[in-house]
């Protein structure tokens, strides 16, 4: 009877020890990431707002993706662009630099723009580019956070 109890205890210790020795699965090196911005644009013709979403892949301290937005500055437009960010970790938060390049499509409103700007309605897609520096305030999960970006486009 004692041998059965000893064998049972040994088996339980062996099984329990093997369960605690398992490692957490490794995170994939390349991960999907998304950046969503609500911004204020300031310039010679006043203050307007913009919305942008960028979806792509993150690898270590790099992020690259494709983005689209809605830009109300001067003439309403829709930028479609590629974006690259480089993050520099600072403890929990991080500093980052970004660069965007793509095409800006005008979203014409005849009633307003043709009267206000005396334009005959001929609008063509144009170059869109932007660059900036920002700061990422990390949340409890290091992969999430709040981005504050100051840029020029």
């Amino acid at each position: 009877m004692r041998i059965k109890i000893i064998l049972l205890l040994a088996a339980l210790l062996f099984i329990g020890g093997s369960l605690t020795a398992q490692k957490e699965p490794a995170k994939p090196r390349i991960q999907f990431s998304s950046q969503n911005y609500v911004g204020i644009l300031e310039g010679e013709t006043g203050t307007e707002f913009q919305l942008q979403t960028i979806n792509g892949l993150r690898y270590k301290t790099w992020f690259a993706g494709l983005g689209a937005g809605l830009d109300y500055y001067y003439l309403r437009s829709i930028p479609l662009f590629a974006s690259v960010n480089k993050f520099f970790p600072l403890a929990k938060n991080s500093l980052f630099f970004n660069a965007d390049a793509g095409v800006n499509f005008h979203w014409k409103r005849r009633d307003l723009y043709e009267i206000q700007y005396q334009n005959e309605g001929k609008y063509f897609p144009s170059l869109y580019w932007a660059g900036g520096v920002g700061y990422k305030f990390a949340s409890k999960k290091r992969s999430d956070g709040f981005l504050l970006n100051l840029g020029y486009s």
Side-chain angles (χ1 to χ4, degrees), residues 27-96:
K27 289 184 179 181
R29 299 186 87 177
I30 298 176
Q31 296 179 324
F32 174 79
S33 186
S34 181
Q35 296 179 352
N36 300 296
Y37 292 94
V38 174
I40 298 172
L41 304 170
E42 181 65 39
E44 289 180 12
T45 62
T47 303
E48 292 293 341
F49 80 96
Q50 94 179 107
L51 301 169
Q52 282 187 347
T53 183
I54 306 167
N55 297 288
L57 300 174
R58 186 179 64 228
Y59 176 72
K60 294 184 180 180
T61 61
W62 289 92
F63 168 78
L66 298 176
L70 182 57
D71 185 333
Y72 274 87
Y73 186 74
Y74 191 64
L75 298 173
R76 182 174 58 180
S77 64
I78 301 170
L80 300 175
F81 55 93
S83 181
V84 175
N85 291 11
K86 171 65 174 157
F87 289 86
F88 298 94
L90 306 169
K92 191 169 130 180
N93 302 320
S94 57
L95 178 70
F96 69 92

Side-chain angles (χ1 to χ4, degrees), residues 4-44:
K4 287 184 182 180
I5 292 174
I6 292 173
L7 288 174
L8 180 64
L9 287 175
L12 288 175
L13 286 174
F14 178 74
I15 292 170
S18 66
L19 290 177
T20 59
Q22 291 180 0
K23 295 180 181 177
E24 184 178 315
K27 289 184 179 181
R29 299 186 87 177
I30 298 176
Q31 296 179 324
F32 174 79
S33 186
S34 181
Q35 296 179 352
N36 300 296
Y37 292 94
V38 174
I40 298 172
L41 304 170
E42 181 65 39
E44 289 180 12

